[in-house]
Amino acid sequence: MERTARMRRAAAALLVAWGCSERAWAQEPAAPPAAPAAADREAADDGDLPSALPAAAATPEDDGTSALATGLDVKPAPFNPGDRRFPINLAAALRLADARPLIVAAAQAGVWVSEAELTRAKLLWVPTLNIGFDYVRHDGGGPDFNKGIMTAPSVNFFYGGGGLTGTLYTADAIFQPLAARQVLNAAHWNIQAAKNDALLQTSDAYFRVHQYRGTYAGALYSVRRGRELVGRIQDLSRDLVPKVEIDRARNMLADLEQKAVLAQQEWRVAGADLTQVLRLDPRAVVEPLEHDHAQITLIDPGRTLDDLMPVALVNRPELAAHQALVQAAVLQIRAQKWSPLIPTFRLNGFQTPSELIQAGIFGLGPNASMNQWRGRADVSIQSLWELEALGLGNLARIKEARGRESQAIIEFYMNQDAVAADVTRARARVQSAAARVLQADRSMRTAVITFNGNYEGLRQTTRLGDVLVLVNRPQEAVFALQLLMVAFDEYFATVAEYNRAQFELFHALGYPARELTVLRSPGDAAPVDTSRPDYLPPVGVGPPPATR
């Protein structure tokens, strides 16, 4: 227990301050965040965070500002007139992820099943109550075993009443409740695992909404600049620009417009994924309230695997669930070992089929008459030591139980390896995304400067001998605008990948979803309309009740 407490304290130390920068948890559109200065980036490269590529020297244009703060007039992604706007922030999405997803309700229903199985195991000591009657009519001869003669009367009798009957396998009555308790513990851990999975699914869908909304806004900006570029090329003299350059620019513009339409589609698809996970109105177009380049840091990317692995192996609810199932398998072995050593008790009645009636009214008479009635009670209690198949069957059952324990242990080891791999994968993605965010930021600034320079250069001419030529050719501006569109895609994709990788690492370490949904929520949850269309079932608390 002391070791576990130490491990949990160490796990808590891994969580950096929530919202390590104020922009991480911005609840309303704010000024674009400032990128780290060049000296800070070099320090990060030499410190805890390994760089995917060697650190680049600062360029004169690298003034430490965000790529989106370099004079870009990027307008918010617009909505269509018929869209159902659905404003939501990260805190509200995470709060809804704690209970509404169906995977959580399915895990809670699994607890109901396990609770019922535990109750049945506790009641193995309790006999069964039978109430009813039995009528027997006998015609023809039959033996009189007391006198050793054949008799030929016809007789009928009636026995009505009730009784307590049952067979008590004592070893099962002792060990089955203990094993069922472990299965119930595993079901409770499965609820926590389901909530963690729901949090991961929600964060993944939420940041994909951010990614494609930002990409859509960037695509619309590129389209607007593309139209300006086509107009400027058209205004140039045909002595300076051949007509093919205008066609090249128009072709580029058509391609940008297609990418804008595709980005809008992906924004809506990602929103549908989020509304499906959270069981919201599927017709809604999700509108995150944070800016699309917000970066969320939950776990320090510089932590080593040796720091992270023990935390995950202690915290992951999946491992705790499998540990409980291993303990249940151990108890099944003990039950099979004790089974032939502890007596089995049988309680029943007498002189009725299956001997289910113990007390009541007994009537008897010859032929069709029934003129003799008495009260009657018959109780039989047996205590037996049973050796199944002369004990060989018991040995086989013990072997089977041991095999099931081995299977449970193997499942536990497989999950341990999976947890370790999850941590390694998530850490690699976090570190890669952290390095690529800086690279994407630098690429965005460079792309903006390059396009603006080429765009302005279309107005400048110089003489080459007696020939007047443009300082910058139209195809150079076209190519620069295409690179700008690529930079937008990579920038918003990298920021979203960093945020998703942070939540993936949080999930891999097994921290309870409650840490983010309730205890350390990223700000105040925005009010959200959780109603759904009438043709969809309502969302309640917990699993839906049975219909019968």
Side-chain angles (χ1 to χ4, degrees):
M1 295 297 293
E2 182 179 355
R3 174 179 176 274
T4 301
R6 288 200 305 269
M7 294 299 297
R8 293 192 181 277
R9 288 195 294 270
L14 290 179
L15 283 172
V16 299
W18 301 108
C20 58
S21 59
E22 292 183 1
R23 64 183 173 85
W25 300 120
Q27 295 304 312
E28 64 276 346
D40 295 336
R41 289 198 300 273
E42 292 174 2
D45 290 339
D46 296 334
D48 291 334
L49 176 60
S51 178
L53 295 175
T59 62
E61 297 82 10
D62 191 0
D63 57 0
T65 60
S66 170
L68 298 183
T70 54
L72 283 180
D73 183 20
V74 180
K75 298 179 181 179
F79 290 83
N80 294 333
D83 287 344
R84 294 175 178 267
R85 300 177 63 167
F86 190 86
I88 187 173
N89 63 358
L90 181 60
L94 298 183
R95 183 72 57 86
L96 295 175
D98 193 58
R100 291 178 69 87
L102 285 176
I103 58 173
V104 177
Q108 292 169 338
V111 170
W112 292 359
V113 174
S114 297
E115 287 176 345
E117 292 175 348
L118 175 60
T119 301
R120 291 183 59 191
K122 289 180 177 179
L123 295 176
L124 290 177
W125 300 87
V126 180
T128 300
L129 174 63
N130 304 297
I131 299 176
F133 66 89
D134 176 43
Y135 173 77
V136 176
R137 170 68 184 261
H138 171 73
D139 293 302
D144 185 337
F145 292 104
N146 294 325
K147 299 180 179 180
I149 61 176
M150 181 69 71
T151 62
S154 296
V155 65
N156 63 155
F157 69 85
F158 173 90
Y159 195 179
L164 298 175
T165 62
T167 300
L168 174 62
Y169 297 96
T170 312
D172 289 343
I174 295 173
F175 292 103
Q176 287 294 339
L178 301 177
R181 171 64 65 181
Q182 294 297 329
V183 174
L184 177 59
N185 291 340
H188 280 295
W189 283 113
N190 288 337
I191 291 181
Q192 184 58 60
K195 290 186 175 183
N196 291 0
D197 292 343
L199 181 74
L200 181 62
Q201 292 178 9
T202 300
S203 63
D204 181 80
Y206 189 81
F207 290 119
R208 289 189 187 278
V209 173
H210 266 302
Q211 173 186 344
Y212 291 115
R213 188 181 68 166
T215 301
Y216 180 43
L220 292 180
Y221 174 83
S222 299
V223 168
R224 178 159 55 88
R225 297 307 306 270
R227 290 170 179 166
E228 295 173 359
L229 178 59
V230 170
R232 177 159 296 188
I233 295 174
Q234 287 176 332
D235 292 340
L236 294 173
S237 170
R238 291 299 172 266
D239 295 333
L240 296 175
V241 178
K243 186 177 182 301
V244 67
E245 295 295 346
I246 301 176
D247 295 334
R248 186 201 310 272
R250 288 173 175 170
N251 182 63
M252 173 273 302
L253 177 59
D255 182 63
L256 293 179
E257 290 173 341
Q258 290 187 46
K259 291 182 177 178
V261 173
L262 181 61
Q264 183 190 45
Q265 165 198 307
E266 294 302 321
W267 173 23
R268 281 159 166 71
V269 169
D273 293 339
L274 181 63
T275 57
Q276 177 184 356
V277 172
L278 299 181
R279 306 193 71 196
L280 301 171
D281 189 343
R283 302 166 298 177
V285 178
V286 178
E287 180 184 7
L289 298 180
E290 302 89 2
H291 46 69
D292 295 321
H293 53 279
Q295 297 176 35
I296 312 299
T297 298
L298 305 178
I299 311 295
D300 181 3
R303 292 291 178 178
T304 66
L305 289 176
D306 290 335
D307 291 336
L308 300 176
M309 291 291 186
V311 176
L313 295 177
V314 169
N315 283 350
R316 284 291 287 267
E318 296 92 335
L319 296 182
H322 278 85
Q323 283 180 327
L325 294 179
V326 170
Q327 293 301 317
V330 171
L331 290 167
Q332 295 290 356
I333 295 176
R334 294 176 61 187
Q336 296 302 330
K337 286 183 175 181
W338 280 98
S339 180
L341 304 179
I342 302 177
T344 297
F345 296 94
R346 286 189 171 88
L347 174 65
N348 50 32
F350 180 68
Q351 207 170 358
T352 57
S354 302
E355 301 180 341
L356 300 179
I357 299 178
Q358 294 176 323
I361 299 297
F362 185 79
L364 178 68
N367 299 320
S369 65
M370 191 175 296
N371 51 14
Q372 304 177 58
W373 294 90
R374 296 288 187 278
R376 177 171 175 170
D378 303 278
V379 178
S380 172
I381 301 177
Q382 293 178 313
S383 177
L384 303 172
W385 280 260
E386 296 183 348
L387 293 176
E388 184 180 351
L390 300 179
L392 298 177
N394 298 102
L395 294 176
R397 289 184 180 275
I398 294 173
K399 182 177 181 180
E400 178 186 1
R402 285 174 172 168
R404 295 190 183 280
E405 183 199 11
S406 296
Q407 289 177 333
I409 293 174
I410 291 171
E411 292 267 353
F412 175 72
Y413 288 160
M414 291 174 63
N415 275 268
Q416 274 190 327
D417 292 343
V419 166
D422 286 346
V423 174
T424 301
R425 284 189 291 263
R427 177 177 175 271
R429 292 189 177 111
V430 166
Q431 292 192 332
S432 171
R436 287 186 290 115
V437 163
L438 299 179
Q439 297 158 5
D441 183 88
R442 186 181 303 116
S443 176
M444 172 67 74
R445 289 195 298 271
T446 304
V448 172
I449 295 170
T450 301
F451 174 73
N452 288 338
N454 280 277
Y455 183 74
E456 294 300 326
L458 292 177
R459 289 180 171 176
Q460 302 171 7
T461 59
T462 185
R463 285 193 174 274
L464 184 61
D466 294 333
V467 180
L468 190 66
V469 297
L470 291 171
V471 172
N472 293 96
R473 295 175 298 177
Q475 59 263 41
E476 294 172 347
V478 168
F479 183 65
L481 185 56
Q482 290 173 330
L483 289 182
L484 179 60
M485 182 63 198
V486 172
F488 272 120
D489 292 346
E490 293 180 347
Y491 181 79
F492 288 111
T494 305
V495 170
E497 287 173 14
Y498 176 79
N499 293 335
R500 291 199 299 268
Q502 279 286 334
F503 277 83
E504 182 182 354
L505 183 56
F506 184 89
H507 177 273
L509 295 178
Y511 289 116
R514 183 178 173 83
E515 287 286 337
L516 291 181
T517 59
V518 178
L519 300 181
R520 301 187 182 188
S521 176
D524 297 329
V528 174
D529 181 11
T530 59
S531 62
R532 308 212 302 169
D534 294 337
Y535 49 77
L536 289 176
V539 179
V541 178
T547 57
R548 298 183 185 276

